[in-house]
Amino acid sequence: MHKLLADQAGQKVLLLGNEAIARGALEAGVAFASTYPGTPSSEISLNLFQIAQETDLYFEYSTNEKVALEVAAAAANSGLRSMCMMKHVGVNVAADALMTLAYVGTRAGLVIISADDPYMFSSQNEQDNRYYGKLSGLPILEPSSVEEAKAMVPAAFELSETLGEPVILRTTTRINHSNAVVTLGALVPPRTKGHFEKDPFSYVTVPAVSRRLHARLLDNITRAEALAEESPYNFEEGGGSWGIVCNGVSYTYVADAIHDLGIEDKVRILRIGFSHPLPAERIGTFLAACEKVLVVEEGEPYLEEAVKAFAQEKGLTLPIKGKGQALFSRLYEFDPAMVRRILADYFGIDCPPPSVPDLSDVPEIPQRPPTLCAGCSHRATFYAVKKATEGLDVIHPSDIGCYTLGFLPPLSMGDFVICMGASTGSAGGFAQATDQKVVSFIGDSTFFHSGIPGLINAVFNNHDLTLIILDNRTTAMTGHQPNPGVDMQELNLDGYGQVALEPLVKAIGVQHVTTIRPYQLKKSIAAIREAVTFEGVSVVIAEEKCALYAKALRQLRGKPFQVSERCRNHRDCINDLGCPAFYLEDDRVRIDADICIGCALCAQVCPENAIVPLKSKS
Amino acid sequence: MKPTRLIIVAVGGQGNLLASKVLGEAALMADIPVRMSEIHGMAQRGGVVESAMVFGDARSTIISDGEADVLVGFEPAETLRALNKCNPQTTVITNMAALPPFTVSIGRGTYPDLKQLQDLIAAKTGRLIALDAADLARTAGNIMSVNIVLLGALCQTGILPVTAAMVREAIKTRTKAAFVDTNLKAFELGYQAAA
């Protein structure tokens, strides 16, 4: 039995934030869950995916976040409690559905998890999704701890049903990827079959309907604001004339700082956990009791601007600060010492700095940058593209996935990356705007996610480009989640369809489509050269299962290679491929047999044919 | 309970997250408040994995520069890289078995001299315990138990509110049954090596 299904209310367990959120959903009787994987949200989905195999819960990996929200919106409007998880930038993809879903609302509870990533540990930006509350008009809840994250999920479902609209539960990486001791609540059996009651004048958003729905949304915001005024998630602590307004993990840093500085009797805290719409009265009353106020929030000055506006409405002129020089930054994440220092500074109290050692005499430590794995088929494809386009001026738009790492030397394959799917759209723009060749890269999951419209666009507008689909048969970067191209039978899961890339690409109207096996280097180079020479849109599908995924499925067949006596130390292998299985020993290239998966790419690159299979017993 | 702050740094695949999970479970069994956070963005692709654990009465799950009471490094260069988390009182426990980054393996970067590395750490912190955890893990019967060897050394220092007995219990109940015996042996070897 899955550990999150333990039906022992009152038991204390150590859970990852994302496990706590999944458990919270089960304690809310969630019936339907959908997602597109993305760090730091992925473990919520992984746990629900596993749990769905043991229970009545319906879970799906949708093709993208917009689709995930649409299926969840339909389920919730059929009466099933539904949850939809995504990383912060995923909400951008889902935003079109989100904005009008806010008008339409929901019958059963619908909770949308937005997992933000301050500091961009594994993201392309650090946008602050609290603004989606303002933009859509929907309520936002924000936990400060793992325990609270679990508790907030059932509360978010209740709130969603009270207001008849989706609720956004916004986390940050330090909630998702922290562990804490959580007390289990009772599991609630879900209602698993819904029924859709037709009501086109509420659900079909033609202008006449939407005009009424928008007015209802504004009424709902007023109702939500009244709930925010009373919410236990907006609470005050302490007493004194120095005020701190804070949210999320910042609250924990503030609480520790006040304790460490011994100023419990001087400071009052207003912790905002129901952060859209904000409780104007409550904040106003709080401000009226303070002489000066500091707003502590990671990301944008979302609270700060609102707090200042509320003060203005109340006619209060006390100093209110948050972001600014010598104060908090809009960049990256906070840490306890930073919050303690700025807090002490702002309120004018002593705070001895931590005694950080002088590290000026520590020698430079070599970096440990993430690299493509030993035997990664992307390396083979990148190398083949490099060889096939030698001497040409080529732009390589790339996309989001492991293969983004191809932009690093020695492969240097990746010139423009902004968001999921952009490799296909931007490729068309580069092709049209320049005389440079365009060879772009996209992974299989990203192609299904949002690459297809860009390819259709290229065919329709007759752009001259080559798209390489790096088809490693899984969603590798986020932990090998399924995508529509995956053979689910290999995972012993029945009842799934499968979408094949080549017929799909051909059906789009691409005139030149080839599928290569990237480990077959000569053939791959020839096929790519032909595709690049083709005028118009060409697609090369580089098909080879992710080595880590193949290993997990026990499908790796390759035997390790070794460098033989024939080696003349040209080092093309190391210099051109950069596979982490290589190392130098007494200035000679060696291959670590524990890491080498036997892809044989280097053996095909070596000018002396010096790289040969390792004898099974040497 | 006054907070005790522990940083663990490792290279992806060294079992850092399991080690912190075992410590966390041991704390839970003993009713010691514990919070931890982990950063493992690209661990599978050769990156650094860092976990922070805060035992006792604190709300934060991360540890600022200069504020670790203990630093456990699973790899010597990574221990050195994490020195910014230490202060002159910090106890540092490091595995001395090097896993040179790929950049060094192919001759594009110099791995720090291990003697100098030890001297630097010893000079800037309260106490340094350096051991070849890979060797001890091999002796215990499984090279993969480097993490548990280091847990043994950590428990020997007595800095954490979690005792060796609690961690042994967590190893028995929270690590894979097939590895419990080697893990317990690895734990004892690490414990003795740090004495």
Side-chain angles (χ1 to χ4, degrees):
Chain A
M1 190 176 68
H2 194 282
K3 76 169 182 179
L4 294 182
L5 289 172
D7 199 8
Q8 288 164 298
Q11 194 192 349
K12 287 183 168 183
V13 290
L14 186 66
L15 292 184
L16 184 70
N18 280 341
E19 294 172 332
I21 291 168
R23 173 73 190 196
L26 299 172
E27 291 178 9
V30 70
F32 195 104
S34 55
T35 193
Y36 183 82
T39 313
S41 78
S42 304
E43 297 86 358
I44 309 171
S45 311
L46 175 66
N47 280 286
L48 294 178
F49 178 47
Q50 292 163 345
I51 287 164
Q53 291 160 34
E54 295 181 36
T55 66
D56 286 341
L57 171 71
Y58 175 79
F59 171 86
E60 73 169 48
Y61 282 113
S62 307
T63 47
N64 65 36
E65 293 86 353
K66 177 172 179 284
V67 174
L69 183 55
E70 289 157 354
V71 295
N77 273 303
S78 302
L80 303 186
R81 279 196 165 187
S82 304
M83 191 160 89
C84 186
M85 297 73 72
M86 57 196 74
K87 68 184 294 168
H88 60 330
V89 287
V91 182
N92 301 336
V93 178
D96 202 4
L98 181 75
M99 295 303 295
T100 307
L101 180 61
Y103 282 25
V104 164
T106 181
R107 247 177 73 210
L110 172 55
V111 175
I112 299 161
I113 310 274
S114 164
D116 293 16
D117 189 18
Y119 190 71
M120 301 163 276
F121 288 102
S122 23
S123 304
Q124 65 269 40
N125 77 26
E126 56 177 348
Q127 66 184 50
D128 185 335
N129 274 9
R130 292 177 295 174
Y131 286 100
Y132 270 112
K134 275 192 127 160
L135 190 61
S136 66
L138 294 176
I140 294 195
L141 298 184
E142 292 182 76
S144 290
S145 67
V146 171
E147 305 93 296
E148 197 176 33
K150 181 176 85 71
M152 267 188 183
V153 179
F157 274 105
E158 293 295 330
L159 181 61
S160 170
E161 285 171 6
T162 302
L163 293 168
E165 62 190 19
V167 169
I168 298 170
L169 180 69
R170 183 227 181 207
T171 61
T172 57
T173 303
R174 295 298 185 175
I175 298 288
N176 302 96
H177 285 173
S178 283
N179 284 267
V181 177
V182 171
T183 307
L184 298 182
L187 291 174
V188 172
R191 176 186 173 192
T192 53
K193 190 48 81 180
H195 182 78
F196 180 65
E197 308 288 342
K198 294 189 186 195
D199 180 8
F201 288 95
S202 292
Y203 291 131
V204 181
T205 51
V206 295
V209 171
S210 289
R211 284 183 201 115
R212 184 174 58 78
L213 295 181
H214 191 194
R216 188 180 72 182
L217 174 63
L218 296 189
D219 286 345
N220 256 0
I221 295 175
T222 308
R223 286 171 64 212
E225 194 179 322
L227 295 172
E229 296 285 357
E230 302 302 319
S231 171
Y233 294 125
N234 296 327
F235 58 81
E236 275 187 47
E237 267 179 9
S241 55
W242 297 343
I244 292 178
V245 182
C246 55
N247 72 322
V249 291
S250 302
Y251 163 70
T252 65
Y253 307 152
V254 166
D256 283 350
I258 288 172
H259 176 78
D260 293 347
L261 296 166
I263 51 171
E264 286 93 340
D265 57 336
K266 295 197 174 71
V267 182
R268 65 176 67 221
I269 300 176
L270 176 59
R271 202 296 303 261
I272 298 291
F274 189 147
S275 58
H276 187 266
L278 285 165
E281 273 308 309
R282 188 156 202 166
I283 292 173
T285 313
F286 178 83
L287 296 177
C290 298
E291 281 170 13
K292 64 192 293 193
V293 164
L294 184 65
V295 182
V296 188
E297 56 186 328
E298 289 179 332
E300 300 300 318
Y302 170 90
L303 288 173
E304 182 187 344
E305 286 174 354
V307 167
K308 285 174 174 169
F310 294 144
Q312 199 277 339
E313 282 175 12
K314 284 255 175 200
L316 299 169
T317 55
L318 76 166
I320 300 170
K321 298 277 186 197
K323 305 287 176 183
Q325 277 195 338
L327 290 162
F328 291 107
S329 173
R330 290 160 67 172
L331 295 171
Y332 318 140
E333 66 167 3
F334 292 177
D335 67 80
M338 171 208 282
V339 170
R340 189 192 314 130
R341 176 177 54 78
I342 293 173
L343 197 152
D345 208 37
Y346 183 69
F347 292 114
I349 45 176
D350 274 345
C351 172
S355 43
V356 184
D358 173 15
L359 301 179
S360 54
D361 57 341
V362 171
E364 197 185 334
I365 306 164
Q367 290 302 311
R368 212 176 275 277
T371 50
L372 295 173
C373 303
C376 175
S377 62
H378 299 333
R379 179 179 291 104
T381 307
F382 286 138
Y383 182 78
V385 169
K386 205 167 196 170
K387 284 288 153 191
T389 57
E390 253 173 355
L392 299 175
D393 181 7
V394 190
I395 307 171
H396 296 293
S398 189
D399 224 302
I400 310 278
C402 297
Y403 53 92
T404 316
L405 294 173
F407 88 103
L408 293 169
L411 297 161
S412 306
M413 286 280 149
D415 297 316
F416 192 75
V417 174
I418 49 174
C419 67
M420 293 283 287
S423 59
T424 59
S426 64
F430 285 124
Q432 197 58 41
T434 71
D435 284 331
Q436 291 158 288
K437 270 279 168 200
V438 178
V439 178
S440 62
F441 300 105
I442 193 166
D444 47 339
S445 191
T446 306
F447 182 68
F448 287 120
H449 176 283
S450 49
I452 296 169
L455 183 61
I456 293 173
N457 180 68
V459 170
F460 174 63
N461 289 303
N462 197 27
H463 294 307
D464 181 20
L465 59 89
T466 301
L467 176 68
I468 313 278
I469 303 179
L470 298 157
D471 180 15
N472 65 356
R473 319 297 302 145
T474 186
T475 314
M477 187 80 211
T478 46
H480 302 119
Q481 290 85 354
N483 69 52
V486 168
D487 177 2
M488 297 297 276
Q489 298 276 355
E490 286 191 334
L491 301 170
N492 299 316
L493 292 170
D494 291 325
Y496 285 90
Q498 192 178 5
V499 181
L501 283 172
E502 191 172 305
L504 171 64
V505 169
K506 283 182 172 159
I508 285 172
V510 177
Q511 297 300 310
H512 187 98
V513 184
T514 42
T515 295
I516 60 168
R517 303 306 300 259
Y519 293 154
Q520 298 174 357
L521 187 58
K522 264 189 195 152
K523 282 186 187 171
S524 296
I525 294 172
I528 292 164
R529 196 171 280 142
E530 207 179 299
V532 172
T533 314
F534 180 84
E535 247 180 71
V537 181
S538 57
V539 168
V540 177
I541 301 167
E543 186 188 317
E544 186 64 49
K545 195 172 277 171
C546 164
L548 291 178
Y549 184 52
K551 192 175 177 191
L553 293 173
R554 299 178 189 280
Q555 290 176 355
L556 269 191
R557 308 254 182 272
K559 297 275 180 285
F561 278 62
Q562 63 179 344
V563 181
S564 71
E565 295 309 309
R566 284 208 295 274
C567 171
R568 294 282 167 274
N569 233 354
H570 296 284
R571 298 197 186 173
D572 289 5
C573 51
I574 281 190
N575 294 334
D576 295 352
L577 301 178
C579 175
F582 294 119
Y583 63 98
L584 291 178
E585 191 177 68
D586 302 330
D587 212 35
R588 305 296 296 188
V589 179
R590 295 282 174 261
I591 294 173
D592 184 341
D594 290 337
I595 305 180
C596 175
I597 66 153
C599 75
L601 175 65
C602 56
Q604 298 168 73
V605 168
C606 177
E608 306 290 343
N609 292 320
I611 302 178
V612 296
L614 185 68
K615 306 270 186 315
S616 50
K617 193 79 186 162
S618 57
Chain B
M1 185 188 287
K2 196 177 165 297
T4 308
R5 296 183 169 86
L6 161 68
I7 294 269
I8 306 180
V9 289
V11 176
Q14 284 193 301
N16 170 355
L17 299 181
L18 177 69
S20 40
K21 190 87 183 166
V22 166
L23 281 178
E25 293 285 353
L28 170 61
M29 284 189 263
D31 223 11
I32 294 165
V34 63
R35 297 182 176 279
M36 52 206 228
S37 64
E38 49 200 48
I39 286 300
H40 45 97
M42 294 188 169
Q44 280 188 315
R45 287 142 198 96
V48 181
V49 189
E50 179 185 306
S51 19
M53 300 191 73
V54 184
F55 301 86
D57 295 319
R59 314 282 274 277
S60 312
T61 66
I62 62 174
I63 299 170
S64 300
D65 286 0
E67 302 201 338
D69 297 298
V70 198
L71 165 66
V72 178
F74 285 24
E75 202 282 336
E78 293 313 321
T79 313
L80 187 64
R81 203 196 302 279
L83 263 193
N84 59 316
K85 294 289 178 190
C86 300
N87 59 54
Q89 284 76 46
T90 306
T91 295
V92 179
I93 299 164
T94 187
N95 178 15
M96 290 307 293
L99 293 174
F102 172 65
T103 43
V104 170
S105 311
I106 60 169
R108 296 200 186 108
T110 313
Y111 195 87
D113 175 74
L114 286 178
K115 173 76 175 71
Q116 189 200 0
L117 178 146
Q118 285 195 59
D119 292 344
L120 278 168
I121 298 173
K124 292 173 195 301
T125 60
R127 183 184 174 196
L128 170 66
I129 299 168
L131 62 161
D132 188 334
D135 194 42
L136 294 173
R138 244 176 260 116
T139 309
N142 183 2
I143 180 67
M144 294 305 288
S145 52
V146 161
N147 53 355
I148 308 291
V149 170
L150 290 161
L151 279 190
L154 173 62
C155 287
Q156 202 285 331
T157 65
I159 297 171
L160 298 187
V162 178
T163 65
M166 297 170 195
V167 175
R168 281 190 202 101
E169 194 54 33
I171 289 171
K172 281 181 204 158
T173 51
R174 296 286 188 264
T175 66
K176 282 192 182 140
F179 298 124
V180 166
D181 287 344
T182 42
N183 279 341
L184 285 173
K185 198 169 169 197
F187 183 84
E188 296 313 324
L189 289 173
Y191 191 91
Q192 288 156 18

